[in-house]
Amino acid sequence: MNTRNLGTTGPAVSSFGLGLMGMSDLYGPADDAESIATVRAALDAGITLLDTGDFYGMGHNEMLLRDALRGRNRDNAAISVKFGALRDADGGWIGYDARPDAVKNFLAYSLRRLGTDYIDIYRPARLDPNVPIEETVGAVADMIKAGHVRHIGLSEVGADTLRRAQAVHPIADLQIEYSLLSRGIEESILPTARELGIGITAYGVLSRGLLSGHWNRDRQLAAGDFRGISPRFQGENLHRNLALVEALRQVAEAKGASVAQIAIAWVAAQGSDIVPLVGARRRERLTEALGAEAVTLTADDLAAIQQAIPAGAAAGTRYAAPQMHHLDSER
């Protein structure tokens, strides 16, 4: 697999990364054995960037990754960890904590669960409105000096926050949703990141499955699948969004690719400083997604894709209103 650099100061990683969230949380039940097999298949295919969060399954996801990496060369994996989201015993969301002491506490627990003595990229999951970003970044910078972290990343922050953070310590990358249905970063966040030499790790490249080509309006969601309350999956919004997918399917078929492959390839084609995160939970979906690396989009292809799904065409916001409120990137 080809490699890309995470910004001007970050590590070289595989041109695609693997997002592990769905293996533990928010998309309904998953099979641990299949999840571990999928992570190992990704490693065997050359994927090095593995993204997790300490709150994905309240630690389960990190321990799953630890098990998947057992017997492998740790230095061949770039582990990205998000922290700061607080949950209760029932799995509910109860806020964020990015105070310096909390940063160091979260990190200590992640190192233990992952079975490693360093994390490659450590990032707050969201901007804590009660803690200046300078303090949070400064705390992670202290952990770099201590040898426990290699690089600092951010997640879902806006252009002003990027500038403030970069003034404290070099930021390797910004993790943020970016897809054909979510193009808000193009206005100011992406240009600012490029100005500052900050890379982009793009999650949600298939819009939680909408752009997979496998979704239909009659699909029944399992208990615990957050798409049951996601605006883009509701009523008329879903019908409108699936109509966009069908338009994209025509482009994909003309190209001899799947809908998912075209959607992923489009994100990758937006710049060599962008690394798409693939959220495959099973090996067959991983195999399909990795086929996107062989898809080269011409100017005519990009124009056809733009016609199928113009910027701003998505129906519904990408999160429900309470979650949108926590996104510094949307302000």
Side-chain angles (χ1 to χ4, degrees), residues 7 14 17 33 39 43 48 66-67 71 76 96 109-110 140 143 150 165 167 172 188 206 212 238 255 264-265 306 309:
S14 50
V39 174
L43 292 166
T48 61
R66 174 201 62 201
D67 292 345
N76 289 339
Y96 296 92
Y109 279 77
S110 285
V140 182
M143 295 298 93
R150 297 282 174 85
S188 64
L206 295 181
S212 68
L238 178 60
K255 191 71 177 175
I264 296 167
Q306 171 67 18
I309 305 183

Side-chain angles (χ1 to χ4, degrees), residues 64-101:
L64 190 77
L65 179 54
R66 174 201 62 201
D67 292 345
L69 289 173
R70 187 169 287 125
R72 304 277 180 147
N73 185 340
R74 162 68 182 90
D75 292 336
N76 289 339
I79 299 176
S80 167
V81 178
K82 290 184 288 298
F83 68 87
L86 304 177
R87 304 185 72 172
D88 61 25
D90 296 320
W93 303 91
I94 55 176
Y96 296 92
D97 192 349
R99 293 171 300 129
D101 284 347

Side-chain angles (χ1 to χ4, degrees), residues 69-209:
L69 289 173
R70 187 169 287 125
R72 304 277 180 147
N73 185 340
R74 162 68 182 90
D75 292 336
N76 289 339
I79 299 176
S80 167
V81 178
K82 290 184 288 298
F83 68 87
L86 304 177
R87 304 185 72 172
D88 61 25
D90 296 320
W93 303 91
I94 55 176
Y96 296 92
D97 192 349
R99 293 171 300 129
D101 284 347
V103 171
K104 296 171 185 179
N105 175 77
F106 291 140
L107 175 62
Y109 279 77
S110 285
L111 292 170
R112 177 65 63 90
R113 285 188 293 260
L114 287 163
T116 184
D117 57 3
Y118 71 94
I119 289 171
D120 297 273
I121 310 144
Y122 201 50
R123 70 182 82 241
R126 296 288 186 267
L127 180 67
D128 185 337
N130 300 312
V131 180
I133 191 62
E134 291 85 354
E135 293 185 13
T136 303
V137 169
V140 182
D142 287 343
M143 295 298 93
I144 290 178
K145 293 174 185 175
H148 301 311
V149 173
R150 297 282 174 85
H151 303 279
I152 302 176
L154 294 173
S155 177
E156 287 290 356
V157 301
D160 289 344
T161 302
L162 277 181
R163 293 187 187 281
R164 290 170 55 194
Q166 181 79 353
V168 175
H169 188 280
I171 304 299
D173 70 319
L174 169 66
Q175 188 175 118
I176 193 166
E177 186 169 355
Y178 190 30
S179 74
L180 281 164
L181 294 179
S182 298
R183 296 176 60 175
I185 74 168
E186 293 175 347
E187 182 176 350
S188 64
I189 294 174
L190 182 56
T192 300
R194 286 175 167 161
E195 175 193 336
L196 298 174
I198 297 172
I200 299 291
T201 49
Y203 76 87
V205 293
L206 295 181
S207 294
R208 280 84 175 177

Side-chain angles (χ1 to χ4, degrees), residues 185-259:
I185 74 168
E186 293 175 347
E187 182 176 350
S188 64
I189 294 174
L190 182 56
T192 300
R194 286 175 167 161
E195 175 193 336
L196 298 174
I198 297 172
I200 299 291
T201 49
Y203 76 87
V205 293
L206 295 181
S207 294
R208 280 84 175 177
L210 270 177
L211 292 171
S212 68
H214 304 295
W215 200 272
N216 65 72
R217 65 188 63 186
D218 299 320
R219 180 168 174 174
Q220 298 297 309
L221 296 175
D225 191 323
F226 91 103
R227 289 171 293 192
I229 60 169
S230 175
R232 290 183 178 174
F233 289 82
Q234 308 306 308
E236 184 59 29
N237 285 350
L238 178 60
H239 293 178
R240 290 170 56 189
N241 290 329
L242 288 178
L244 296 173
V245 174
E246 290 310 304
L248 185 63
R249 193 185 303 277
Q250 296 182 34
V251 179
E253 290 176 350
K255 191 71 177 175
S258 72
V259 175

